[in-house]
Amino acid sequence: DHVSIEPLKLSYRSTHEILDFATEVLGPRRNEVTGQATRHGAPVEFFAFAGTGEAVAFLSEALRELARAEPLASVAIISRTPDEADIYHKGLVRAEVPNARRIANQDYPFRPGIDITDVRQVKGLEFDYVILVDVNASTYVVDDESRHLLHIAATRAAHQLWVISTATPSRLIPEALIEG
């Protein structure tokens, strides 16, 4: 009772666009005073696919191109569960995506490449690019835990955030993003 909490008001990690998405995900759990970013960046992008195979094919091409264009970039592919991370890792390795690493026990190498992990492994970390996979109605239900985990995952991105759904999109994703 004798401790007062002062929410952070300024973010140096993420852009306005990423913070807007992350704040909206929190819904009624957001702070009265929301944080502000020091810079603008690329819009958050949403991609819907019929299944994981389509998502992996799309990501394989995009990540190979990113590796060519920005060889020093750090990328995180973040799933809700370790099993989902395993599926994406296997698919990307089969597609010969360079530097695709499965991170399971906080064993980050902290070097350029693509770290594929689950949301419980990323708190406190930062990546140039973040791709949230399987942000589906069944994986991120409308509850406080899902809001919190999706917020944590989204705010790991420094420059760009992609949100991917492979079934019915989570209702936590802002409708304007899905429709856009």
Side-chain angles (χ1 to χ4, degrees):
D1 291 340
H2 66 283
V3 176
S4 66
I5 296 175
E6 182 68 30
L8 296 174
K9 296 180 182 144
L10 197 58
S11 171
Y12 294 96
R13 175 187 299 139
S14 301
T15 64
H16 280 280
E17 293 77 6
I18 294 165
L19 284 182
D20 287 347
F21 170 85
T23 300
E24 197 161 338
V25 161
L26 289 174
R29 304 315 266 165
R30 75 182 102 206
N31 293 326
E32 288 180 27
V33 178
T34 59
Q36 296 296 311
T38 58
R39 61 194 168 81
H40 284 277
V44 174
E45 293 191 58
F46 173 76
F47 300 93
F49 299 99
T52 304
E54 277 187 28
V56 168
F58 169 79
L59 287 174
S60 297
E61 185 63 32
L63 292 169
R64 280 193 297 271
E65 179 58 35
L66 180 63
R68 280 190 292 275
E70 293 188 49
L72 299 179
S74 64
V75 179
I77 297 176
I78 305 173
S79 67
R80 173 72 189 258
T81 68
D83 290 342
E84 292 165 351
D86 288 341
I87 291 167
Y88 277 88
H89 178 253
K90 287 175 187 169
L92 294 172
V93 167
R94 277 191 212 117
E96 300 179 358
V97 173
N99 299 318
R101 302 177 289 254
R102 174 68 173 96
I103 307 297
N105 296 304
Q106 301 278 316
D107 50 347
Y108 289 94
F110 297 105
R111 63 180 197 264
I114 302 159
D115 294 331
I116 305 153
T117 192
D118 63 276
V119 68
R120 297 196 185 272
Q121 301 286 320
V122 297
K123 191 166 185 180
L125 299 177
E126 173 182 320
F127 302 89
D128 296 322
Y129 302 94
V130 169
I131 303 165
L132 307 180
V133 294
D134 292 348
V135 185
N136 304 327
S138 60
T139 52
Y140 287 95
V141 299
V142 179
D143 67 9
D144 289 349
E145 179 184 24
S146 293
R147 289 181 188 282
H148 179 71
L149 292 175
L150 193 53
H151 180 269
I152 288 171
T155 56
R156 302 307 91 203
H159 303 299
Q160 191 167 13
L161 175 65
W162 285 3
V163 179
I164 293 179
S165 176
T166 55
T168 302
S170 171
R171 290 186 15 227
L172 299 178
I173 300 171
E175 277 189 45
L177 182 60
I178 293 171
E179 293 170 0

